[in-house]
Short mmCIF file of all heavy atoms in Angstrom, two decimals:
data_model
loop_
_atom_site.label_atom_id
_atom_site.label_comp_id
_atom_site.label_asym_id
_atom_site.label_seq_id
_atom_site.Cartn_x
_atom_site.Cartn_y
_atom_site.Cartn_z
N TYR A 215 -137.79 -174.47 -36.52
CA TYR A 215 -137.09 -173.18 -36.91
C TYR A 215 -136.43 -173.42 -38.25
O TYR A 215 -135.93 -174.50 -38.59
CB TYR A 215 -135.93 -172.94 -35.87
CG TYR A 215 -136.47 -172.67 -34.45
CD1 TYR A 215 -136.56 -173.64 -33.54
CD2 TYR A 215 -136.94 -171.47 -34.11
CE1 TYR A 215 -137.00 -173.46 -32.28
CE2 TYR A 215 -137.36 -171.15 -32.84
CZ TYR A 215 -137.44 -172.21 -31.94
OH TYR A 215 -137.97 -171.99 -30.68
N PRO A 216 -136.60 -172.36 -39.16
CA PRO A 216 -136.19 -172.54 -40.49
C PRO A 216 -134.61 -172.39 -40.49
O PRO A 216 -134.02 -171.34 -40.41
CB PRO A 216 -136.83 -171.33 -41.30
CG PRO A 216 -137.10 -170.27 -40.23
CD PRO A 216 -137.33 -171.16 -38.96
N SER A 217 -133.94 -173.54 -40.58
CA SER A 217 -132.58 -173.53 -40.72
C SER A 217 -132.14 -174.88 -41.39
O SER A 217 -132.99 -175.74 -41.70
CB SER A 217 -131.89 -173.50 -39.27
OG SER A 217 -132.32 -174.69 -38.54
N VAL A 218 -130.86 -174.96 -41.80
CA VAL A 218 -130.38 -176.08 -42.50
C VAL A 218 -129.36 -176.73 -41.55
O VAL A 218 -128.31 -176.09 -41.35
CB VAL A 218 -129.83 -175.89 -43.89
CG1 VAL A 218 -129.32 -177.06 -44.50
CG2 VAL A 218 -130.87 -175.24 -44.71
N PRO A 219 -129.53 -177.95 -40.99
CA PRO A 219 -130.68 -178.74 -41.01
C PRO A 219 -131.76 -178.06 -40.20
O PRO A 219 -131.42 -177.29 -39.37
CB PRO A 219 -130.24 -179.97 -40.50
CG PRO A 219 -129.08 -179.80 -39.61
CD PRO A 219 -128.46 -178.57 -40.25
N PRO A 220 -133.07 -178.45 -40.38
CA PRO A 220 -134.11 -177.90 -39.59
C PRO A 220 -133.85 -178.11 -38.09
O PRO A 220 -133.51 -179.17 -37.68
CB PRO A 220 -135.34 -178.63 -40.09
CG PRO A 220 -135.03 -179.15 -41.32
CD PRO A 220 -133.65 -179.49 -41.32
N LYS A 221 -134.16 -177.08 -37.34
CA LYS A 221 -134.09 -177.28 -35.87
C LYS A 221 -135.44 -177.31 -35.32
O LYS A 221 -136.33 -176.57 -35.67
CB LYS A 221 -133.31 -176.04 -35.28
CG LYS A 221 -133.29 -175.94 -33.74
CD LYS A 221 -132.72 -174.73 -33.15
CE LYS A 221 -132.70 -174.69 -31.74
NZ LYS A 221 -132.19 -173.43 -31.14
N VAL A 222 -135.76 -178.47 -34.56
CA VAL A 222 -136.99 -178.77 -33.96
C VAL A 222 -136.90 -178.79 -32.52
O VAL A 222 -135.95 -179.49 -31.89
CB VAL A 222 -137.67 -180.00 -34.52
CG1 VAL A 222 -138.95 -180.32 -33.99
CG2 VAL A 222 -137.63 -179.98 -36.04
N GLU A 223 -137.66 -178.11 -31.73
CA GLU A 223 -137.67 -178.10 -30.30
C GLU A 223 -139.08 -178.57 -29.79
O GLU A 223 -140.07 -178.25 -30.41
CB GLU A 223 -137.40 -176.79 -29.79
CG GLU A 223 -135.94 -176.35 -29.74
CD GLU A 223 -135.65 -175.15 -29.01
OE1 GLU A 223 -136.56 -174.28 -28.83
OE2 GLU A 223 -134.43 -174.85 -28.66
N TYR A 224 -138.97 -179.09 -28.69
CA TYR A 224 -140.28 -179.60 -28.04
C TYR A 224 -140.29 -178.99 -26.66
O TYR A 224 -139.28 -178.91 -25.92
CB TYR A 224 -140.38 -181.18 -27.79
CG TYR A 224 -140.33 -181.80 -29.22
CD1 TYR A 224 -139.16 -182.20 -29.81
CD2 TYR A 224 -141.58 -182.14 -29.79
CE1 TYR A 224 -139.13 -182.71 -31.07
CE2 TYR A 224 -141.62 -182.62 -30.97
CZ TYR A 224 -140.43 -183.06 -31.67
OH TYR A 224 -140.42 -183.71 -32.83
N ALA A 225 -141.48 -178.49 -26.27
CA ALA A 225 -141.69 -177.88 -24.95
C ALA A 225 -143.05 -178.18 -24.38
O ALA A 225 -143.97 -178.43 -25.15
CB ALA A 225 -141.53 -176.28 -25.18
N LEU A 226 -143.09 -178.16 -23.13
CA LEU A 226 -144.43 -178.33 -22.43
C LEU A 226 -145.30 -177.11 -22.66
O LEU A 226 -144.84 -176.02 -22.75
CB LEU A 226 -144.28 -178.49 -20.85
CG LEU A 226 -143.70 -179.78 -20.37
CD1 LEU A 226 -143.75 -179.84 -18.94
CD2 LEU A 226 -144.48 -181.08 -20.92
N THR A 227 -146.56 -177.48 -22.96
CA THR A 227 -147.62 -176.42 -23.09
C THR A 227 -148.05 -176.10 -21.67
O THR A 227 -147.63 -176.67 -20.66
CB THR A 227 -148.82 -176.87 -23.87
OG1 THR A 227 -149.40 -177.99 -23.12
CG2 THR A 227 -148.34 -177.38 -25.32
N GLU A 228 -148.92 -175.05 -21.57
CA GLU A 228 -149.51 -174.70 -20.26
C GLU A 228 -150.27 -175.92 -19.67
O GLU A 228 -150.07 -176.21 -18.48
CB GLU A 228 -150.52 -173.60 -20.46
CG GLU A 228 -151.01 -172.97 -19.14
CD GLU A 228 -151.91 -171.70 -19.39
OE1 GLU A 228 -151.62 -170.93 -20.35
OE2 GLU A 228 -152.83 -171.54 -18.63
N LEU A 229 -150.94 -176.62 -20.54
CA LEU A 229 -151.63 -177.92 -20.12
C LEU A 229 -150.62 -178.87 -19.62
O LEU A 229 -150.89 -179.56 -18.56
CB LEU A 229 -152.51 -178.44 -21.11
CG LEU A 229 -153.33 -179.71 -20.86
CD1 LEU A 229 -154.26 -179.49 -19.73
CD2 LEU A 229 -154.06 -180.24 -22.10
N GLY A 230 -149.55 -179.15 -20.33
CA GLY A 230 -148.44 -180.00 -19.96
C GLY A 230 -147.92 -179.67 -18.62
O GLY A 230 -147.66 -180.53 -17.77
N HIS A 231 -147.71 -178.38 -18.29
CA HIS A 231 -147.19 -178.01 -16.95
C HIS A 231 -148.19 -178.33 -15.88
O HIS A 231 -147.70 -178.66 -14.75
CB HIS A 231 -146.84 -176.56 -16.93
CG HIS A 231 -145.53 -176.18 -17.55
ND1 HIS A 231 -144.36 -176.36 -16.93
CD2 HIS A 231 -145.25 -175.67 -18.79
CE1 HIS A 231 -143.42 -175.98 -17.72
NE2 HIS A 231 -143.91 -175.64 -18.87
#
Side-chain angles (χ1 to χ4, degrees):
Y215 298 95
S217 62
V218 177
K221 177 182 174 184
V222 179
E223 284 187 339
Y224 296 89
L226 287 183
T227 61
E228 188 175 326
L229 180 62
H231 278 282

